[in-house]
Structure formats: C-alpha cells, structure tokens
Amino acid sequence: MRVLAIETSCDETGAAVLEKNNEIKLLSNITATSLAIHATTGGIIPENAAREQVKFIIPTIIESLLASEKIETSSNPEKDLKNVQKILKETIDVIAVTYGPGLIGSLLVGVETAKTLSFVLNKPLIPVNHLLAHLFANFISTNHEFRTPNFPFIGLIVSGGHTDLLYFESVKRYTWLGGTRDDAAGEALDKIGRLLNLQYPAGPEIERRAKLVEKPTIKFQSPLLHSKDFDFSFSGLKTEVYRFVKAGEAITSQGGKSIPNRVWNRSSTSEDLTNQICYAVQKAIIDVLVSKTVKAAEKYKVQTIVLGGGVSANETLRNEFKLNAKHSQLNAQIFAPEKFLSTDNAAMIGAYALMDYKPVNWQEVEANPELYFA
Ligand code: KG4
Ligand code: ZN
C-alpha cells in the first residue's frame, strides 16, 4: 500500500510518499518552508503563510512523486508532468492530508488539493490530525536497526502550537491526560527568543546557546512542576524572563546591584548572559516536560514514552528523557523521531494514515483549524 501524503497546516508545505509492507518505508519526503519570510516579521503572519502554500504546493507534490520513483526533476516540465501523471495513476493507492489543527488559509491549500486529486484519480482520501501524526512519525522506518514503539505508550506532543500528554492503548484508543493551559513549549521558546533578539524560530538557537554554558548561574521556575495533574503552563516563564531581562538592563546601566534570588555574574558579557538565560529557560521547560511525562508513565504503568513535535528535536530534551526514564522505577524506553521528522513534515501524515486506515468520501473532508483530539 502506497500513500501520497500532504501537509500544509502552517508554514511548511510537505509532500511525501510512503509504502507499508511489514514496516512503513519512506520513499520521498519533500518540505518547502516559508520560514525565511516569517523570520523577517518575527513570527508567522497567516496571510503570508497561506500565499506561500499556494506557491509551493504543486511543485512540492511533483518533486515528491518523482523522487518516490528516484526520478530527478528535469529541465523539461512536460516530461516531468507525464511521469507524475503515470506515478499518480499507477503507484499511489491512497491520498492523506492534514485537515487540522492549523491556520485556515494554509490548511485549505492542502485539503482542497488532496480532495481534487482524490476526485480526479478516484483514489481514497484519509484526513489526518496533525497533532497525533507528530507521534506517529516514530513509526517510520529510517534504517535497518529501526524499532517501532510498542503499545501502550505515553505520548508527549511538544510543538510550536501545542503541548499535550496522551495515553495510547492502541492506534485507535487514546486518552488525553493534560496539556498546556496557555502557551505551548515551542511558543514560549519563540516568544522568549524575541525578547532576547534571537531569530525566529528561537528553539534551535536557544538550544545552541544553552550548550555553550559550562557553569549555570541563573535559575527560572519550572511552572506547575509539582502540580498533581498533567497540565503545563509556560506563559509565566516568559514573564519571569521579561522581568529578569528588564531588571538586568536597569542594573547594568546603574553599574550593578544584586538581583534578589539570582546569582548575577557582573563580569558577564551580554552574549554570556544571553546564553545563561537560554540555558535556564531551556532547563525550566525540559524539567517539567520530563517530570510530568515520566509520572504519567508510572501512573499508567507503561514502559514506552513517545515524543513528537518540533521541540522534540532538542537533543538536551532527548538526553534528559533518557536519563530520567532509566532512573525511574519503570526503566521506560524513549522514542523520538529523527530530527527531520520532528518538525512539520508530510511523512508523519502518511505514517498515521497507513497505521489508522480510515478513508472518507472527499465530499466530507473539510479543513478544521480548531481540531483537537476527536
Ligand atoms: O512541530 P513544529 O515544526 O510546528 C508546529 O506544529 O508547531 O514545531 C515548531 C517549534 C518552534 O516553536 C521551534 O522553536 C521549536 O519547534 N523547535 C525547537 C527545536 N527545533 C524546533 N525547540 C527546541 N529545540 C530545538 N532544537
Ligand atoms: Zn506540528
């Protein structure tokens, strides 16, 4: 069974082809991104993202289909189109598309393209929940030593828009345990990055700077670390960093006074200080993510933890998960997708569609920006 998967929920345009036999193999995975445009505005303006989706969608699908048959795009568009038509008709069994959550303008581009392909080619169409798909990126076989996670597992989705903890008994049976009450983990990193004048999206840069810190000197609170539920909250952290930065600016300009409850290294250059803040922010976020996820695994007595979403590309987060899981009573195994499958991509959409094969008439598929967990 071969799927052509399409992802356009936000600022990435993705098309991928996957095949399922005993395992799910990735035949092609093309991602076009409009990140450079959003970097100039310090965040995503939905109208801009949607316009870029319109520009990229057809070339991305063409490239992905050709790559699935190991054909490079040529300088002869007519020849490429003939090849693409043949590949679509003869090799693709089903089409999968993200129908939510996301930005309505962006989602519509992918959904309407997928519906048109389904109608014209008379092939089944599977609408996919983008959030859940982040976890199912872990089921894509990427090398010969590949292992898939076992059910049941605790899934943690940590992306730019979401932070959610779920208990999965099987592909079809899952329970939402908790999520963020305000900002998502990635959103907090990006907003704090803006405060520190880092480029959007700030997650990777915060990780890079945190790694440069040898002796941490600042500590921020991990929000809701000790609450009994599985909820998260990250907007307070942003405020804490804001106050810290503002206080630091005032003190530096006055020639220095100590800041209550903080160790302020007055000899720091501003670069060092930014790195220290990055370290402390990253640690505050990782500590609470790890602690609550491991607690959920203990409560539900599962030995598998599955991570997904852009923030799960963070190596420190992955390492902390591995360390803590080893030391918990469960000795849980940690799964995280390869980095290129952590951030938004179409491969994860195809993987979930192949694992949970539920075609829907194309007339019934609609973009749903508010989709959560159905
Ligand atoms: O899953 P994703 O690509 O898009 C959404 O569905 O939201 O996640 C994007 C988020 C951004 O907030 C970005 O800053 C964060 O993932 N991110 C990272 C890293 N790479 C991307 N956060 C921390 N460390 C990283 N290495
Ligand atoms: Zn995502």
Side-chain angles (χ1 to χ4, degrees):
M1 161 94 44
R2 248 185 217 202
V3 62
L4 165 66
I6 296 172
E7 151 64 35
T8 65
S9 65
C10 191
D11 57 334
E12 259 94 27
T13 314
V17 178
L18 296 90
E19 187 163 60
K20 186 178 179 195
N21 294 314
N22 298 329
E23 53 183 14
I24 295 177
K25 276 217 162 117
L26 187 55
L27 303 183
S28 71
N29 181 41
I30 306 295
T31 311
T33 178
S34 53
L35 211 61
I37 291 176
H38 310 306
T40 62
T41 49
I44 295 171
I45 295 173
E47 175 74 15
N48 292 348
R51 282 168 191 264
E52 294 305 299
Q53 294 287 4
V54 173
K55 234 188 264 172
F56 288 138
I57 186 76
I58 301 293
T60 305
I61 292 174
I62 289 176
E63 202 180 328
S64 176
L65 287 166
L66 291 173
S68 72
E69 290 293 312
K70 299 193 167 50
I71 303 171
E72 279 185 26
T73 40
S74 72
S75 52
N76 181 346
E78 270 177 40
K79 189 172 142 211
D80 284 351
L81 287 183
K82 275 213 174 100
N83 277 329
V84 164
Q85 281 168 349
K86 194 165 172 331
I87 296 166
L88 264 173
K89 271 193 203 135
E90 294 175 10
T91 73
I92 300 298
D93 300 302
V94 57
I95 293 151
V97 67
T98 302
Y99 75 111
L103 305 172
I104 184 65
S106 292
L107 284 169
L108 278 171
V109 176
V111 167
E112 294 308 312
T113 306
K115 283 166 75 169
T116 308
L117 287 173
S118 167
F119 164 64
V120 172
L121 299 164
N122 197 21
K123 308 238 177 197
L125 178 61
I126 303 180
V128 172
N129 180 324
H130 173 96
L131 289 178
L132 298 178
H134 266 303
L135 296 176
F136 285 85
N138 286 281
F139 290 84
I140 301 169
S141 162
T142 44
N143 61 52
H144 63 279
E145 286 166 11
F146 181 76
R147 299 166 305 128
T148 53
N150 287 325
F151 290 92
F153 64 72
I154 294 292
L156 173 70
I157 303 162
V158 264
S159 69
H162 295 85
T163 306
D164 290 290
L165 206 49
L166 298 110
Y167 169 49
F168 266 87
E169 288 170 70
S170 66
V171 176
K172 291 186 194 304
R173 280 179 66 89
Y174 61 86
T175 314
W176 180 80
L177 304 178
T180 184
R181 296 179 187 172
D182 38 58
D183 290 354
E187 188 180 359
L189 288 167
D190 295 339
K191 286 180 176 169
I192 290 169
R194 200 183 315 179
L195 212 65
L196 301 174
N197 285 325
L198 307 181
Q199 215 189 19
Y200 175 87
E205 178 63 4
I206 289 180
E207 175 176 25
R208 188 188 72 76
R209 285 175 173 270
K211 278 190 184 150
L212 300 174
V213 172
E214 283 169 13
K215 244 202 229 151
T217 55
I218 303 172
K219 193 171 177 344
F220 294 127
Q221 305 288 338
S222 281
L224 298 186
L225 183 62
H226 300 294
S227 72
K228 296 254 178 298
D229 50 29
F230 293 115
D231 282 353
F232 302 94
S233 161
F234 295 109
S235 76
L237 180 63
K238 182 186 61 197
T239 315
E240 203 185 344
V241 176
Y242 176 79
R243 290 211 183 106
F244 182 83
V245 171
K246 290 294 154 202
E249 278 172 9
I251 279 157
T252 320
S253 61
Q254 285 162 25
K257 242 192 275 161
S258 69
I259 296 177
N261 306 324
R262 307 265 185 263
V263 183
W264 182 277
N265 179 356
R266 276 182 239 154
S267 66
S268 292
T269 63
S270 70
E271 276 296 291
D272 286 340
L273 190 56
T274 304
N275 296 350
Q276 287 286 356
I277 295 171
C278 288
Y279 177 93
V281 164
Q282 184 177 278
K283 180 161 171 47
I285 291 177
I286 290 177
D287 283 356
V288 65
L289 290 174
V290 171
S291 162
K292 293 224 165 164
T293 308
V294 171
K295 251 187 225 154
E298 283 171 357
K299 176 167 178 190
Y300 288 87
K301 299 191 173 44
V302 306
Q303 286 190 298
T304 308
I305 290 174
V306 176
L307 310 177
V311 181
S312 75
N314 187 292
E315 277 171 34
T316 315
L317 174 119
R318 290 170 183 233
N319 292 338
E320 283 300 310
F321 260 106
K322 285 188 185 140
L323 263 176
N324 275 269
K326 212 186 229 172
H327 294 136
S328 80
Q329 306 152 8
L330 292 162
N331 194 14
Q333 283 200 44
I334 306 294
F335 288 83
E338 277 199 41
K339 275 196 182 177
F340 76 100
L341 296 174
S342 298
T343 46
D344 287 352
N345 66 84
M348 66 187 197
I349 305 302
Y352 191 29
L354 289 173
M355 300 257 322
D356 189 19
Y357 189 85
K358 276 197 303 209
V360 172
N361 274 341
W362 66 264
Q363 292 98 324
E364 289 163 31
V365 177
E366 273 181 32
N368 181 354
E370 311 298 335
L371 180 71
Y372 205 27
F373 299 113

